[in-house]
């Protein structure tokens, strides 16, 4: 299996327009992905970046998801996601968990595509990858804003 690193970024504007980006890195090659979603939150964008990155892979791989945020890292590595699944996607207070639809999609990707996935929180992130992810996510948001402006004219 190929060893892939996926760098991710999810962000939103004050108007709740979200942008996400993933950079897939394999040996000396890389692939950039990005998109936008209106009326969303930053956590959904973080999950979309990961789901999109994994979804772009055509064969089972060993994947290191390089996270710049704690949300997904904590949920996966603390065992919370497993607990949520076992508790019908409810938390310890029996409340429906946030972003259940995306968590389910992520888990299905792991199972169907048969990837070996590790979620890592980089202490000293590779600035160039994260900076580029930030640029891509911001460009996606600007694309949405420009399209909306043109539709309103």
């Amino acid at each position: 299996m190929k060893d892939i690193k996926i760098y991710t970024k999810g962000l939103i504007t004050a108007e709740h327009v979200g942008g996400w980006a993933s950079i897939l890195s394999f040996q000396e090659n890389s692939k950039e992905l990005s998109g936008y979603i209106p009326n969303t939150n930053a956590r959904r964008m973080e999950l979309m970046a990961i789901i999109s990155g994994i979804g772009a892979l055509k064969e089972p791989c060993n994947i290191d998801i390089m996270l710049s945020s704690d949300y997904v890292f904590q949920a996966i590595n603390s065992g919370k996601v497993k607990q949520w699944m076992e508790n019908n996607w409810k938390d310890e207070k029996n409340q429906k968990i946030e972003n259940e639809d995306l968590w389910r999609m992520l888990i299905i990707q792991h199972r169907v595509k048969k990837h070996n996935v590790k979620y890592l929180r980089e202490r000293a992130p590779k600035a160039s990858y994260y900076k580029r992810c930030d640029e891509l996510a911001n460009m996606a948001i600007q694309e949405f804003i420009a399209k909306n402006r043109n539709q309103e004219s």
Side-chain angles (χ1 to χ4, degrees), residues 63-94:
I63 306 170
D64 287 347
I65 306 285
M66 311 308 287
L67 301 166
S68 61
S69 164
D70 283 333
Y71 174 61
V72 175
F73 178 81
Q74 293 293 342
I76 295 277
N77 292 321
S78 70
K80 282 186 180 180
V81 174
K82 186 177 179 188
Q83 290 171 354
W84 295 336
M85 288 172 34
E86 291 170 354
N87 198 31
N88 198 27
W89 296 99
K90 292 182 181 174
D91 64 16
E92 56 277 350
K93 296 177 184 171
N94 209 30

Side-chain angles (χ1 to χ4, degrees), residues 13 18 20 35 42 66 112 114 144 147:
T13 65
W20 60 264
M66 311 308 287
V112 171
K114 300 186 182 347
F144 172 80
K147 282 181 181 179

Side-chain angles (χ1 to χ4, degrees), residues 18-22 33-37 45 52 136-141 143:
W20 60 264
S22 301
L33 307 168
S34 63
Y36 59 81
I37 298 176
M45 295 299 86
S52 299
L136 291 167
N138 275 301
M139 286 190 305
I141 289 170
E143 178 185 340

Side-chain angles (χ1 to χ4, degrees), residues 117-140:
V117 184
K118 286 190 253 175
Y119 290 83
L120 306 170
R121 177 81 164 97
E122 278 200 303
R123 295 189 191 280
K126 292 191 188 283
S128 61
Y129 282 114
Y130 290 111
K131 182 178 178 188
R132 182 64 182 150
C133 281
D134 194 64
E135 290 170 353
L136 291 167
N138 275 301
M139 286 190 305

Side-chain angles (χ1 to χ4, degrees):
M1 284 202 281
K2 293 178 182 173
D3 294 325
I4 307 287
K5 287 191 179 197
I6 300 177
Y7 297 85
T8 64
K9 179 69 175 185
L11 50 87
I12 62 164
T13 65
E15 296 80 26
H16 299 284
V17 176
W20 60 264
S22 301
I23 299 175
L24 289 69
S25 175
F26 171 68
Q27 296 175 348
E28 300 300 316
N29 303 308
S30 65
K31 179 177 183 172
E32 296 178 343
L33 307 168
S34 63
Y36 59 81
I37 298 176
N39 303 315
T40 192
N41 63 58
R43 290 180 169 180
R44 288 188 71 78
M45 295 299 86
E46 290 174 38
L47 286 164
M48 281 303 301
I50 296 165
I51 290 165
S52 299
I54 292 172
L57 299 170
K58 294 178 172 65
E59 62 188 72
C61 297
N62 296 314
I63 306 170
D64 287 347
I65 306 285
M66 311 308 287
L67 301 166
S68 61
S69 164
D70 283 333
Y71 174 61
V72 175
F73 178 81
Q74 293 293 342
I76 295 277
N77 292 321
S78 70
K80 282 186 180 180
V81 174
K82 186 177 179 188
Q83 290 171 354
W84 295 336
M85 288 172 34
E86 291 170 354
N87 198 31
N88 198 27
W89 296 99
K90 292 182 181 174
D91 64 16
E92 56 277 350
K93 296 177 184 171
N94 209 30
Q95 302 293 315
K96 290 297 259 177
I97 63 131
E98 182 183 25
N99 304 315
E100 174 188 345
D101 57 332
L102 297 180
W103 283 111
R104 284 179 181 265
M105 192 180 304
L106 183 61
I107 298 305
I108 288 168
Q109 277 187 324
H110 285 215
R111 291 180 179 163
V112 171
K113 293 200 169 203
K114 300 186 182 347
H115 297 301
N116 295 320
V117 184
K118 286 190 253 175
Y119 290 83
L120 306 170
R121 177 81 164 97
E122 278 200 303
R123 295 189 191 280
K126 292 191 188 283
S128 61
Y129 282 114
Y130 290 111
K131 182 178 178 188
R132 182 64 182 150
C133 281
D134 194 64
E135 290 170 353
L136 291 167
N138 275 301
M139 286 190 305
I141 289 170
Q142 293 309 311
E143 178 185 340
F144 172 80
I145 291 169
K147 282 181 181 179
N148 266 4
R149 207 175 291 134
N150 291 338
Q151 288 177 357
E152 292 173 358
S153 301

